[in-house]
């Protein structure tokens, strides 16, 4: 596999000594024991009909390939005869109810950010352990997952380089944003299988095939002895879960590895083995078979799958089925980059873990064809800083929500399957900057930053120029220049081109900008304007509330002057086709911003008093600024 430079070996040795330390291992051991004790206590409080008999740990915390950023996977196991009688979601909900009753979740509880992911093939209940800040993924009856963890742990026991190399590969993939099937990449488990398969293919293998019965007379028994029943496909199904966990029973030449390669040499060999893409485009990754065979020979292969990574026990499960063409290109590109770094005389070992692009803390979800504004996301997700909103209506276009840090994103993710925004699928996926950049190449996106509220004024919506005021308070509407108002962006979402039969005076002009129809009388803006006559403003009656509800949201409109440079949307009938109509109804309005669409009328109220005519109208803000101001007040 070639030699590494002394400088790289020295930097790698220093890095690995700090990376693999016993104190961290001890802390992880204590953590899983504590969580197992707590959740076992919760299980004892469940109704007996649930049949939960055990809570166990599996995944990376069990197989020895955990790292500092790993989640802990836990599972509730029921009596086998009840495996298919109760839904996993019912059992998870029962756990959540008991945890809530015992004050284990909530502001002062042990767990935070409780998240339901019930629509997945393996339903999950996610939550954060406050003490360790570790994420817990809790599921029901994932017996295959438990056995897979035991298999990988056994490989790690055979040779410690297995678990160490697996952890390095997994952390490299996470650092480069290459983990996550939602983005067309592989999950962490798939990278572990690729690692072990590579170690089986070396001229002097680091590990043998522990699932092979060949040459093992003591294991030529009925498959029923090793059969495992799992209900992952909705019905009980039998899987062959055999593997050798007693190395003394292996053929003599396989009882210990003769391979003497260092961890750095193995890591470089891993990247070289896969990075050109030739192997993966032709052959399958199969620990179960332990050798390279054409991917078309596997039950889990179909023509839509570019790669095949076979599950060790479930031969019908291809872990690479969700890989997209762009995801595969990114994985191979980053492998080549890592290989180049490891061949550089001046490189440090830690350089392979430097992200190729800045990390972004993102969630994504799918919006419907009728959603034309990003505003509701700012109301539902209080910590979102930027909404990347697709201007095109397409089934594949998704909304990206950007947060300042992982903690804020995790808090928002707790609303998965719970939040309600009309015409938005309430499923949130953790995603990466790679996915957002790829989406921008496919669709036209616009970035909407969270509006900032200062007193009664807000910053501008990204697509709406501010309204300016003259020395006596007269209004100067925004210029009608398309370039000045929406440079290179086009009109804001929801504004429709002018109908051929509509009036150009009051309709939407040319490419979608709107006509502003100001009133001529002067007005006061927080005391400005010498010609203003305060006596003409509506006066609050004794005992009259200074606040009134605005539509069906929790927003309140405060009596007095409110300034926001964007439209407010309300229904309009066919007869209500002039801005004067709304200026008469809302007698204190300053300007009407009129869109000639029977379904949507836009009424820009740069100032209004809460008076009876307005309270009788059903208004809802359609810009970030307007909605945020009303919501805050």
């Amino acid at each position: 596999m070639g030699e590494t430079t002394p400088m790289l070996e020295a930097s790698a040795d220093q890095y690995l000594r700090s990376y693999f330390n016993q104190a961290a291992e001890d802390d992880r051991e204590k953590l899983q024991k504590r969580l197992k004790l707590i959740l076992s206590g919760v299980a004892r409080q469940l109704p007996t009909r649930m049949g939960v008999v055990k809570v166990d740990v599996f995944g990376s915390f069990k197989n020895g390939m955990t790292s500092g950023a790993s989640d802990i996977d836990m599972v509730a196991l029921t009596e086998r005869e009840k495996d298919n009688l109760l839904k996993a979601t019912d059992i998870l909900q029962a756990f959540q109810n008991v945890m809530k009753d015992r004050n284990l979740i909530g502001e002062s509880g042990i767990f935070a950010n409780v998240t339901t992911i019930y629509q997945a093939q393996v339903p999950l209940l996610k939550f954060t352990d406050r003490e360790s800040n570790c994420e817990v993924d809790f599921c029901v009856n994932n017996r295959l997952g438990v056995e897979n963890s035991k298999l990988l742990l056994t490989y790690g026991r055979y040779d410690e380089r297995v678990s160490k190399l697996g952890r390095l590969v997994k952390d490299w993939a996470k650092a480069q944003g290459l983990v996550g099937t939602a983005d067309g990449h592989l999950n962490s488990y798939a990278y572990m299988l690729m690692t072990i398969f590579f170690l089986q293919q070396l001229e002097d293998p680091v590990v043998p095939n522990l699932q092979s019965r060949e040459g093992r007379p003591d294991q030529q028994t009925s498959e029923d002895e090793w059969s495992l029943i799992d209900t992952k496909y909705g019905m009980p199904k039998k899987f062959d879960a055999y593997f050798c966990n007693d190395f003394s029973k292996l053929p003599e030449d396989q009882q210990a590895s003769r391979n003497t390669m260092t961890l750095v040499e193995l890591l470089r060999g891993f990247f070289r083995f896969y990075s050109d893409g030739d192997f993966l485009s032709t052959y399958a990754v199969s620990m179960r078979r332990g050798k390279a065979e054409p991917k078309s020979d596997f039950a889990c292969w179909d023509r839509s799958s570019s790669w095949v990574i076979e599950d060790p026990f479930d031969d019908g499960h291809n872990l690479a089925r969700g890989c997209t063409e762009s995801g595969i290109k990114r994985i191979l590109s980053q492998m080549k980059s890592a290989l180049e770094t490891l061949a550089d005389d001046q490189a440090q070992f830690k350089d392979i873990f430097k992200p190729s692009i800045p990390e972004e803390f993102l969630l994504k979800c799918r919006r419907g064809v009728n959603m034309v504004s990003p505003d509701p996301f700012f109301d539902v997700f209080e910590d979102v800083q930027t909404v990347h909103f697709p201007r095109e209506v397409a089934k594949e276009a998704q909304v990206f929500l950007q947060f300042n840090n992982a903690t804020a994103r995790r808090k928002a993710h707790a609303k998965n399957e719970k939040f309600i925004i009309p015409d938005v699928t309430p499923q949130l996926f953790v995603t990466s900057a790679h996915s957002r950049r790829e989406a921008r190449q496919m669709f036209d996106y616009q970035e909407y930053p969270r509006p900032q509220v200062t007193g009664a004024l807000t910053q501008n919506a990204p697509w709406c120029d501010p309204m300016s005021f003259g020395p006596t308070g007269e209004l100067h509407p925004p210029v009608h220049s398309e370039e000045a108002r929406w440079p290179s962006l086009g009109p804001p979402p929801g504004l429709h081109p002018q109908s051929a039969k509509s009036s150009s005076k009051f309709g939407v002009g040319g490419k979608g900008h709107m006509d502003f129809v100001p009133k001529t009388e002067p007005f006061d803006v927080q005391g400005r304007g010498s010609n203003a006559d305060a006596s003409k403003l509506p006066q609050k009656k004794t005992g009259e509330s200074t606040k009134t509800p605005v539509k069906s949201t929790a927003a309140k409109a405060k009596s007095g002057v409110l300034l926001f440079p964007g439209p407010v949307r309300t229904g309009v009938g066919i007869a209500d086709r002039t801005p004067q109509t709304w200026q008469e109804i809302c007698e204190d309005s300053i300007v009407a911003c009129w869109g000639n669409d029977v379904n949507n009328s836009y009424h820009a109220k740069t100032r209004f008093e809460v008076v009876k005519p307005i309270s009788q109208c059903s208004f809802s803000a359609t810009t970030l600024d307007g909605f945020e101001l009303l919501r805050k007040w």
Side-chain angles (χ1 to χ4, degrees):
M1 287 293 178
E3 297 181 357
T4 56
T5 65
M7 179 180 293
L8 183 64
E9 285 285 1
S11 68
D13 184 61
Q14 181 180 7
Y15 179 88
L16 295 174
R17 278 202 307 269
S18 62
Y19 186 87
F20 301 108
N21 63 85
Q22 190 58 43
E25 300 293 335
D26 293 343
D27 288 342
R28 282 190 278 267
E29 183 68 23
K30 292 177 182 177
L31 172 62
Q32 60 177 306
K33 286 183 177 179
R34 181 172 62 83
L35 293 176
K36 187 175 178 180
L37 182 64
I38 294 172
L39 292 176
S40 295
V42 173
R44 288 192 291 271
Q45 301 297 317
L46 296 178
T48 55
R49 64 183 180 83
M50 295 293 177
V52 176
V53 294
K54 185 180 181 181
V55 172
D56 208 351
V57 177
F58 71 105
S60 61
F61 267 73
K62 197 70 172 182
N63 62 33
M65 297 187 185
T66 185
S67 62
S70 294
D71 298 345
I72 179 169
D73 298 301
M74 303 190 71
V75 59
L77 299 172
T78 65
E79 300 167 357
R80 288 187 179 272
E81 59 269 20
K82 293 188 177 181
D83 277 6
N84 200 43
L85 298 180
L86 285 171
K87 292 183 179 179
T89 52
D90 293 337
I91 297 175
L92 292 175
Q93 191 60 48
F95 265 92
Q96 185 177 0
N97 293 340
V98 173
M99 291 163 67
K100 186 176 181 180
D101 292 341
R102 295 181 61 183
N103 296 319
L104 295 178
I105 56 178
E107 294 183 1
S108 59
I110 297 175
F111 304 126
N113 301 326
V114 179
T115 308
T116 58
I117 306 180
Y118 290 169
Q119 303 303 314
Q121 184 179 29
V122 178
L124 290 177
L125 185 67
K126 290 178 68 76
F127 45 89
T128 306
D129 174 51
R130 290 185 189 274
E131 182 177 323
S132 63
N133 201 36
C134 182
E135 294 295 321
V136 181
D137 289 350
F138 192 52
C139 63
V140 175
N141 288 335
N142 188 355
R143 301 187 189 278
L144 274 176
V146 173
E147 292 303 308
N148 282 330
S149 299
K150 293 178 181 178
L151 174 61
L152 268 59
L153 177 63
T154 305
Y155 273 109
R157 283 178 40 235
Y158 183 91
D159 193 301
E160 66 175 5
R161 289 173 294 177
V162 174
S163 57
K164 288 184 175 181
L165 182 62
R167 288 167 65 175
L168 291 175
V169 169
K170 184 169 70 171
D171 276 8
W172 161 82
K174 286 185 175 180
Q176 305 308 327
L178 301 175
V179 178
T181 55
D183 290 345
H185 300 138
L186 299 169
N187 59 25
S188 295
Y189 179 52
Y191 285 108
M192 301 303 96
L193 302 187
M194 292 175 69
T195 300
I196 294 176
F197 180 77
F198 158 71
L199 296 176
Q200 292 174 331
Q201 306 309 303
L202 297 172
E203 185 176 352
D204 285 324
V206 174
V207 293
N209 179 4
L210 296 180
Q211 291 180 268
S212 174
R213 288 185 170 92
E214 186 177 349
R216 303 175 194 175
D218 60 311
Q219 299 302 335
Q220 303 302 320
T221 58
S222 170
E223 290 187 0
D224 288 341
E225 182 179 344
W226 299 98
S227 65
L228 171 71
I229 305 298
D230 193 281
T231 57
K232 66 178 293 185
Y233 295 112
M235 294 293 292
K237 183 178 179 180
K238 184 167 65 175
F239 299 91
D240 179 10
Y242 166 77
F243 64 92
C244 178
N245 55 15
D246 184 352
F247 306 139
S248 65
K249 294 181 179 180
L250 292 171
E252 188 174 346
D253 62 342
Q254 295 182 2
Q255 291 182 9
S257 176
R258 300 175 183 176
N259 186 295
T260 60
M261 295 172 65
T262 68
L263 201 54
V264 178
E265 290 172 335
L266 290 173
L267 183 61
R268 190 167 67 170
F270 172 87
F271 290 131
R272 182 182 290 113
F273 183 77
Y274 290 114
S275 61
D276 61 7
D278 291 342
F279 180 88
L280 289 168
S281 64
T282 306
Y283 301 100
V285 172
S286 173
M287 282 171 44
R288 181 176 62 88
R289 299 190 187 185
K291 55 185 178 181
E293 296 185 3
K295 60 185 183 182
S296 57
D297 292 348
F298 288 77
C300 61
W301 176 77
D302 60 61
R303 295 186 180 277
S304 64
S305 303
S306 298
W307 288 356
V308 171
I309 302 177
E310 183 193 49
D311 184 278
F313 297 138
D314 181 4
D315 61 4
H317 182 198
N318 176 15
L319 281 90
R321 181 167 290 153
C323 275
T324 61
E325 181 179 351
S326 56
I328 287 174
K329 287 181 179 179
R330 285 192 291 269
I331 293 173
L332 296 178
S333 174
Q334 291 306 316
M335 283 184 171
K336 292 175 182 177
S337 178
L339 189 59
E340 292 172 358
T341 300
L342 292 174
D344 187 348
D345 292 343
Q346 303 301 315
Q348 297 287 314
F349 183 75
K350 63 182 180 182
D351 291 344
I352 66 171
F353 301 101
K354 290 182 178 178
S356 57
I357 59 175
E359 183 177 15
E360 296 179 0
F361 304 99
L362 299 163
L363 294 174
K364 66 180 179 181
C365 63
R366 194 174 302 281
R367 69 97 187 255
V369 297
N370 295 319
M371 188 180 192
V372 296
S373 168
D375 299 352
F377 291 103
F378 288 105
D379 186 54
V380 172
F381 302 101
E382 59 209 34
D383 293 323
V384 66
Q385 296 302 308
T386 304
V387 175
H388 302 266
F389 195 80
R391 297 175 59 83
E392 302 177 48
V393 176
K395 182 179 179 181
E396 298 82 6
Q398 301 193 70
V399 178
F400 290 82
L401 311 178
Q402 188 166 358
F403 302 84
N404 282 338
N405 50 57
T407 301
R409 177 176 64 182
R410 183 64 189 88
K411 179 182 176 183
H413 195 208
K415 297 184 179 181
N416 182 64
E417 300 179 353
K418 300 174 185 174
F419 72 93
I420 299 176
I421 295 179
D423 213 33
V424 174
T425 304
Q427 288 179 275
L428 297 166
F429 298 93
V430 175
T431 187
S432 67
H434 291 297
S435 180
R436 185 183 65 80
R437 293 186 178 191
E438 182 181 347
R440 290 188 71 91
Q441 294 175 358
M442 298 173 60
F443 305 103
D444 183 16
Y445 274 79
Q446 184 167 342
E447 296 182 8
Y448 291 85
R450 172 172 284 281
Q452 301 298 319
V453 178
T454 305
L457 295 173
T458 69
Q459 293 182 353
N460 308 328
W463 49 264
C464 191
D465 287 348
M467 297 205 178
S468 57
F469 305 95
T472 59
E474 68 273 15
L475 173 69
H476 296 295
V479 294
H480 285 220
S481 165
E482 186 79 5
E483 293 75 16
R485 294 171 61 197
W486 305 308
S488 73
L489 294 177
L495 302 189
H496 306 287
Q498 181 183 8
S499 168
K501 297 181 180 181
S502 64
S503 165
S504 61
K505 180 177 181 180
F506 298 130
V508 178
K511 297 182 180 180
H513 71 263
M514 306 191 78
D515 284 339
F516 290 81
V517 187
K519 283 188 176 180
T520 57
E521 66 270 17
F523 62 96
D524 180 76
V525 181
Q526 292 186 334
R528 291 180 294 173
S530 58
N531 294 336
D533 186 352
S535 64
K536 295 182 180 180
L537 296 177
Q539 302 297 313
K540 181 174 74 72
K541 298 178 182 180
T542 303
E544 183 181 359
S545 173
T546 59
K547 296 184 178 182
T548 187
V550 178
K551 207 176 179 181
S552 60
T553 67
K556 304 290 184 179
K558 187 175 181 180
S559 178
V561 176
L562 293 181
L563 302 175
F564 54 97
V568 173
R569 185 173 65 187
T570 185
V572 59
I574 295 178
D576 300 326
R577 309 249 332 216
T578 68
Q580 286 90 341
T581 306
W582 285 105
Q583 288 181 339
E584 291 171 2
I585 294 176
C586 305
E587 57 192 42
D588 55 341
S589 67
I590 302 305
V591 72
C593 182
W594 191 252
N596 195 351
D597 183 342
V598 172
N599 296 317
N600 292 288
S601 169
Y602 292 86
H603 183 72
K605 293 187 57 54
T606 55
R607 162 182 172 267
F608 67 82
E609 298 288 331
V610 178
V611 293
K612 186 175 180 181
I614 292 181
S615 64
Q616 292 175 345
C617 300
S618 179
F619 285 98
S620 61
T622 191
T623 67
L624 307 182
D625 293 344
F627 191 92
E628 183 66 10
L629 183 60
L630 293 174
R631 187 179 71 84
K632 293 285 186 182
W633 281 33

